[in-house]
């Protein structure tokens, strides 16, 4: 068994909005590590800082305090161009609202990250990903001709095709029915187990978090708890205990 290495690390991450009386602390000094080939779920009440944390560690938003490393690269040391390259080449994103380009086919959406660089995708990798998301017979359809579940699997394939250091998914099953959710979560799980990906997913569903290797709980911009090898029941119990603690 090989030693796991760190894919993404943040230290002392702080993010604040507004000023004076209206000042909101979205992140209150977060230290966190995401290991390679691990699937982490992030949970917590609405407004607890989940999206802010994800955006800051992904280089989409800049923290006010602290540092982020993707692999050995420290983000605050990068200029705009280097940051743009890093976001395109080393980070994958999946959003609740799919964010596909409506005029492009499924395949064109999947390989879009390469079109932006002029590089060509590794066809073996592309083939594996298309089969893994089970979209082989939908490649020439446009998003409007696909179900929500299929669209989100296109978005996942697009996030994976550059073989990024890490894939961030912010409530990726939020707009899907339970069957499509389950398919998508199984795919994210396989992308870790079979394709060696690193996945960090925000969710508010215990059954979704149970697909992960680890669940982090966020409250008021801080990580307050963790469950390893989570089950849906264990996650639900822990969420209830937080609610009891505040009431
Ligand atoms: P979550 O994803 O857990 O629901 P967010 O990270 O979106 O939480 O938000 C954390 C806190 O920061 C909330 O109080 C939210 O209102 C605030 N916040 C997030 N983005 C902004 C923004 N662009 N301007 C002002 N406040 C924001
Ligand atoms: Mg959010």
């Amino acid at each position: 068994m090989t030693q796991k290495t760190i894919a993404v690390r943040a230290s002392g991450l702080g993010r604040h909005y507004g000023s004076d009386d209206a000042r909101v602390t979205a992140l209150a000094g977060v230290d966190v590590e995401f290991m390679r080939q691990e699937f982490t779920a992030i949970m917590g009440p609405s407004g607890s800082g989940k999206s802010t944390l994800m955006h800051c560690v992904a280089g989409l938003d800049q923290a006010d305090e602290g540092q982020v490393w993707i692999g050995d690269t420290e983000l605050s040391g990068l200029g705009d161009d280097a940051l743009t390259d890093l976001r395109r080449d080393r980070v994958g994103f999946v959003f609740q609202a799919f964010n596909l380009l409506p005029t492009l086919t499924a395949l064109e959406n999947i390989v879009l990250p390469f079109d932006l660089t002029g590089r060509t995708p590794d066809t073996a990798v592309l083939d594996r990903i298309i089969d893994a998301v089970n979209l082989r017979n939908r490649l020439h359809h446009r998003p409007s001709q696909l179900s929500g579940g299929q669209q989100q699997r296109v978005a996942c394939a697009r996030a994976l095709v550059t073989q990024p250091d890490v894939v961030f998914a912010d409530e990726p099953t939020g707009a899907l029915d339970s069957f499509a959710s389950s398919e998508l979560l199984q795919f994210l799980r396989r992308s870790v187990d079979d394709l060696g990906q690193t996945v960090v997913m925000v969710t508010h569903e215990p059954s979704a978090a149970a697909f992960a290797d680890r669940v982090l709980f966020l409250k008021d911009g801080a990580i307050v708890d963790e469950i390893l090898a989570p089950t849906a029941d264990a996650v639900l119990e822990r969420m209830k205990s937080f609610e009891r603690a505040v009431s």
Side-chain angles (χ1 to χ4, degrees):
M1 169 117 188
T2 50
Q3 183 77 33
K4 289 219 167 172
T5 55
I6 297 170
V8 181
R9 178 159 80 90
S11 168
L13 218 53
R15 182 76 172 100
H16 316 278
Y17 294 106
S19 53
D20 302 328
D21 289 356
R23 185 170 150 106
V24 172
T25 294
L27 294 178
V30 172
D31 298 319
V32 70
E33 291 176 351
F34 300 109
M35 307 307 283
R36 271 187 216 290
Q37 298 184 27
E38 209 168 79
F39 187 173
T40 306
I42 299 178
M43 302 192 82
S46 179
S48 58
K50 303 180 298 294
S51 294
T52 305
L53 174 62
M54 196 167 265
H55 293 164
C56 287
V57 293
L60 286 181
D61 185 15
Q62 206 172 359
D64 299 305
E65 294 133 27
Q67 288 177 293
V68 176
W69 290 262
I70 294 185
D72 294 330
T73 309
E74 201 270 299
L75 301 195
S76 70
L78 299 179
D80 284 349
D81 290 350
L83 201 53
T84 301
D85 290 350
L86 174 129
R87 282 194 294 253
R88 187 192 56 221
D89 298 337
R90 296 183 56 191
V91 181
F93 294 99
V94 181
F95 300 98
Q96 181 172 340
F98 317 146
N99 293 16
L100 301 178
L101 292 185
T103 59
L104 301 184
T105 65
L107 181 61
E108 288 164 347
N109 269 287
I110 292 170
V111 299
L112 190 64
F114 289 100
D115 286 352
L116 300 173
T117 60
R119 289 184 292 131
T120 42
D122 179 325
T123 45
V125 171
L126 182 60
D127 270 341
R128 265 178 95 183
I129 290 174
I130 288 168
D131 287 330
V133 289
N134 194 18
L135 285 169
R136 176 73 56 199
N137 58 6
R138 289 287 182 281
L139 290 178
H140 304 293
H141 292 57
R142 291 183 205 288
S144 62
Q145 300 169 311
L146 299 173
S147 69
Q150 289 166 342
Q151 289 181 61
Q152 193 62 307
R153 299 204 311 270
V154 171
C156 282
R158 180 181 58 187
L160 285 161
V161 76
T162 59
Q163 300 185 279
D165 288 35
V166 56
V167 172
F168 292 105
D170 196 348
E171 306 205 30
T173 61
L176 303 182
D177 63 40
S178 60
F179 180 76
S181 291
S182 163
E183 275 193 331
L184 189 87
L185 291 161
Q186 287 172 46
F187 167 66
L188 290 176
R189 182 70 253 173
R190 283 201 307 274
S191 78
V192 173
D193 295 339
D194 302 345
L195 306 175
Q197 259 304 322
T198 304
V199 175
V200 180
M201 171 183 76
V202 170
T203 182
H204 57 261
E205 293 163 65
S207 58
F211 280 82
D213 298 304
R214 174 171 78 136
V215 184
L216 298 180
F217 294 90
L218 223 62
K219 187 169 177 287
D220 299 333
I223 294 174
V224 293
D225 209 346
E226 170 182 64
I227 299 182
L228 301 178
T231 62
D233 284 345
V235 171
L236 193 60
E237 275 309 308
R238 199 66 61 97
M239 288 165 75
K240 281 186 192 156
S241 76
F242 292 141
E243 280 161 26
R244 278 199 294 273
V246 294
S247 58

